[in-house]
Amino acid sequence: NALVMFARGSTTSKRHTTLDGYLADKDPIGAATVRAMLEGLVARHPGSSIELAWNQPFLVRDGQRLFSVGVMSAHLLASPWSVEVLDAFRATLEDEHELTVNRKTFRLPLDWTIDEPLLDAMVAAELAR
């Protein structure tokens, strides 16, 4: 992909450099949910920030990627950084929250009611790795 973009005249593979830029053309409901999720995580985890990599927003602390969530056309796609952490929460996500869990990601509705304790537990598990 980077080679194709370079061939087309791009000097960078980044389409977005800020969360605002990323969310600008997304579904407004999904964008609001993603913003609330990430900004809430930053507020509750001192020293963390939001960065973009692979044109997706990530929660990062001390250079360690912890959690990502993006807006797709009909849902949000989220993931802790490691598959091990996702696997540790797989039963909770599938059984308690009735979410679709893929191999490395899980789907959320665009208007998901944010479960702060769940997200904080995933971030804590990533930090403990």
Side-chain angles (χ1 to χ4, degrees):
N1 286 338
L3 182 59
V4 170
M5 290 183 73
F6 180 77
R8 291 182 180 168
S10 176
T11 57
T12 178
S13 61
K14 292 184 178 185
R15 281 182 276 178
H16 312 288
T17 56
T18 65
L19 182 60
D20 290 337
Y22 171 79
L23 296 175
D25 63 345
K26 305 296 184 196
D27 176 271
I29 295 170
T33 305
V34 166
R35 181 180 303 284
M37 288 172 68
L38 290 172
E39 289 179 353
L41 285 168
V42 168
R44 292 187 308 274
H45 296 276
S48 64
S49 62
I50 300 167
E51 294 182 6
L52 273 78
W54 300 291
N55 296 306
Q56 293 291 316
F58 282 83
L59 178 74
V60 177
R61 187 165 94 179
D62 298 327
Q64 179 183 2
R65 292 189 180 108
L66 304 170
F67 188 82
S68 176
V69 60
V71 183
M72 304 300 126
S73 58
H75 60 274
L76 305 178
L77 198 60
S79 176
W81 179 249
S82 66
V83 175
E84 294 82 13
V85 171
L86 179 62
D87 286 342
F89 287 89
R90 186 174 296 274
T92 301
L93 294 167
E94 290 177 336
D95 300 337
E96 292 178 30
H97 294 277
E98 299 179 353
L99 299 172
T100 300
V101 181
N102 303 314
R103 194 167 145 215
K104 296 183 179 185
T105 60
F106 59 98
R107 288 184 183 190
L108 299 165
L110 291 170
D111 63 348
W112 186 59
T113 301
I114 299 169
D115 184 340
E116 292 177 357
L118 174 65
L119 297 179
D120 290 342
M122 286 184 175
V123 170
E126 282 294 344
L127 288 168
R129 286 179 17 90

